[in-house]
Amino acid sequence: MNDENCIFCRIANGVIPSATVYEDEWFRVILDMGPASKGHALILPKEHFRDVCELGEIYASKVLQLGGKIGAAMKKTLGCTGFNLVQNNGVSAGQTVFHFHMHVIPRYEHGKTMVAWEPGHADPEELKAVAEQIKAGL
């Protein structure tokens, strides 16, 4: 199912032109118009899912493998030494377009720092309590 008001549905299904690097029956992979680094791509399902919580089983089973395939091609052709797969869910997590998508961000030696955080500290008892809270929601 598609949402005719969703810009990513329109791009994924070829209604709006894009710099496409890959396409199959399930996905279109395009270059991001606001790249974090040279070659930054977006994996867009052709079907509309608001976020990973709504992602259909067949798409979920394919998206990580596709991310690896695109990242490997970037390493081979762009000379990046690594890549990040980034997927945001919800406004507080940085999601700005509410159509599931995964970023494939090439990383270069001596490139800028991104997708990083300072590790915190958690008490083992606190970890157990939080784990129980999450389990209760499954």
Side-chain angles (χ1 to χ4, degrees), residues 79-123:
C80 62
T81 54
F83 60 94
N84 292 107
L85 297 177
V86 179
Q87 203 284 305
N88 304 319
N89 296 279
V91 173
S92 61
Q95 186 178 11
T96 58
V97 178
F98 293 90
H99 177 109
F100 173 90
H101 56 287
M102 182 176 287
H103 298 259
V104 186
I105 304 172
R107 301 297 297 273
Y108 300 90
E109 286 293 322
H110 310 295
K112 65 181 179 178
T113 300
M114 61 182 105
V115 192
W117 60 87
E118 294 281 330
H121 175 77
D123 176 90

Side-chain angles (χ1 to χ4, degrees), residues 49-67:
F49 304 100
R50 182 175 172 81
D51 58 26
V52 73
C53 299
E54 293 184 0
L55 190 61
E57 187 175 323
I58 195 153
Y59 285 92
S61 71
K62 294 177 179 292
V63 71
L64 196 57
Q65 183 178 7
L66 180 54

Side-chain angles (χ1 to χ4, degrees), residues 9-10 20 24 32 39 49 56 66 101 108 119 128-130 132:
C9 280
R10 296 169 55 100
T20 300
D24 63 22
D32 194 309
F49 304 100
L66 180 54
H101 56 287
Y108 300 90
K128 283 174 72 174
V130 172
E132 291 304 317

Side-chain angles (χ1 to χ4, degrees), residues 23-45:
E23 182 178 12
D24 63 22
E25 64 185 292
W26 309 102
F27 298 96
R28 181 182 298 261
V29 181
I30 66 167
L31 293 181
D32 194 309
M33 292 187 65
S37 66
K38 178 184 173 185
H40 178 169
L42 300 175
I43 300 174
L44 306 175

